[in-house]
Amino acid sequence: MTMTADAGHTGLGKAEPARPAPPPAPRATRSLLTPAWRRRLGAIGWSIVSVGLFASVWEGLYALGMLNPLLLPPPHLFLADIPGTLQFFDRSNRIGSVATGGGVGALLFTMASTTLRVVVGLALGFSLGVAVGALIHYVKLLRNLLLPTILLLAPISPVAWLPVAIFVFGIGDVPAVFLVFITVFFAIVLSTGAQIESVPKNYIHVARIMGASQRQTFWKVILPSILPSLFMTLRLNLFAAWMVVLIAETVGVGTGLGQITSMARSTFNAKLVFFTMAIIGLLGFLSDFALRQVQHRMLWWITPNQGGAR
C-alpha cells in the first residue's frame, strides 16, 4: 500500500499564497561634497544671512526716516557710485601727494599694503613672543631680568606707543608694523609662560622615560601642547592689530586704508568713510579665515571641534 498523500488534499502541507517581493532597497546616494566642504558651505551661507540681515535692518531704518543719509548712508547709497569712490585711491596715495585716481588696481594696492603690515607685525610678534616666553620660563636669570619689565609694559595701550614708534623709526611702514608687533608680543609672551606651566606633567614624564632630551621634550611635547592656546590668543589679538594699524597709517605712515579713512573724515565724505569701513571689515574677516586655515594645517592632530571650528 502506498502511503503517498497529496499535499493539496490532506491539508498537512498546505501551500501558503505567494507573498509579493519586497521593494528593492533604495541605493544610498553618494554625496558629491565631503563633510568638510559641507561645513564650509554652511558657514558661508550663514555668513551671507548674517550680513544680509544687518544690511536689511540698516536699510529699513533708512526707509523709516530714522537715519540721516549724510551721516549714516545705507549700503545702497555708499555702494551706488563705486567708480567715483575708487577715484580717491591711488598707488602713490601718500600725505602731500596729488591723487590721480587709480581705480580697482589702486584699491587692491592699498588693501595689500595695509594687509602686509598686519601680517608682518603678527608674524614677528607671534614668533618672538613664543621665543621670549619660553626663554623666560626656562632661564631663571632672564625671568628675573625681563619679566618685571614685561609686566610693566604690557598694560600700555599700543596706541600710546605710536609717538615712540615715529620718534624711533620715522615716517613709513615700520611704525605700523611695530604697533602690530606690540599688540601681539606681550600677550604671546605671557600666554606662552602660562601655557607651559599648564602642560600635564604626565606628558613630560613619559617623554623623559622614553629618553627624550629637554630640547626634544620642548619641540615634540610642550610646543604641540601649547600651540592651540597660543593660536587662540593670536586670533583674539588679530582684530586689535587691525585697529592699531589703521591708526598708525593715519599718523605715522601716510598710506593705506587708515589714511583714506582720515582723508574721508576730513572732507566729510561719509560715502567714502563707510566704503572704506566695509573694505576693512572684509579684510579682517578674510584674515581671520586665513588664520584659522593656517591653524588647521599646523594643528592637524586636533579635530575640527577643538581649537576653534573651521
Side-chain angles (χ1 to χ4, degrees), residues 25-80:
R27 295 182 179 180
T29 59
R30 186 175 180 181
S31 177
L32 299 178
L33 298 176
T34 62
W37 272 106
R38 286 199 294 268
R39 286 195 300 270
R40 292 191 184 100
L41 293 178
I44 293 173
W46 281 112
S47 300
I48 295 174
V49 171
S50 177
V51 175
L53 179 62
F54 175 75
S56 299
V57 172
W58 194 350
E59 292 284 356
L61 293 176
Y62 167 77
L64 295 175
M66 301 176 65
L67 296 180
N68 186 344
L70 295 178
L71 300 177
L72 292 173
H76 82 274
L77 289 181
F78 67 79
L79 296 178

Side-chain angles (χ1 to χ4, degrees), residues 147-172:
L147 187 57
T149 302
I150 290 176
L151 293 175
L152 177 67
L153 298 178
I156 301 176
S157 171
V159 179
W161 287 92
L162 181 57
V164 178
I166 296 176
F167 294 157
V168 175
F169 303 110
I171 301 296

Side-chain angles (χ1 to χ4, degrees), residues 25-143:
R27 295 182 179 180
T29 59
R30 186 175 180 181
S31 177
L32 299 178
L33 298 176
T34 62
W37 272 106
R38 286 199 294 268
R39 286 195 300 270
R40 292 191 184 100
L41 293 178
I44 293 173
W46 281 112
S47 300
I48 295 174
V49 171
S50 177
V51 175
L53 179 62
F54 175 75
S56 299
V57 172
W58 194 350
E59 292 284 356
L61 293 176
Y62 167 77
L64 295 175
M66 301 176 65
L67 296 180
N68 186 344
L70 295 178
L71 300 177
L72 292 173
H76 82 274
L77 289 181
F78 67 79
L79 296 178
D81 186 21
I82 293 182
T85 304
L86 294 180
Q87 297 302 312
F88 293 95
F89 295 85
D90 192 84
R91 291 181 181 272
S92 59
N93 198 3
R94 184 174 296 273
I95 293 177
S97 65
V98 179
T100 58
V104 177
L107 172 63
L108 295 177
F109 178 81
T110 305
M111 293 167 58
S113 300
T114 302
T115 304
L116 183 61
R117 292 162 188 148
V118 174
V119 171
V120 173
L122 287 176
L124 292 176
F126 183 79
S127 57
L128 293 180
V130 173
V132 173
L135 289 175
I136 288 177
H137 177 79
Y138 287 109
V139 182
K140 185 177 181 180
L141 178 61
L142 291 179
R143 181 164 63 251

Side-chain angles (χ1 to χ4, degrees), residues 192-230:
T192 300
Q195 294 303 322
I196 291 177
E197 289 286 349
S198 65
V199 174
K201 302 300 180 183
N202 294 336
Y203 294 177
I204 301 175
H205 294 333
V206 171
R208 291 177 178 175
I209 291 173
M210 297 180 67
S213 63
Q214 187 173 3
R215 178 178 299 180
Q216 291 173 331
T217 301
F218 175 79
W219 287 105
K220 301 295 184 180
V221 178
I222 295 177
L223 187 60
S225 299
I226 67 176
L227 273 180
S229 298
L230 293 181

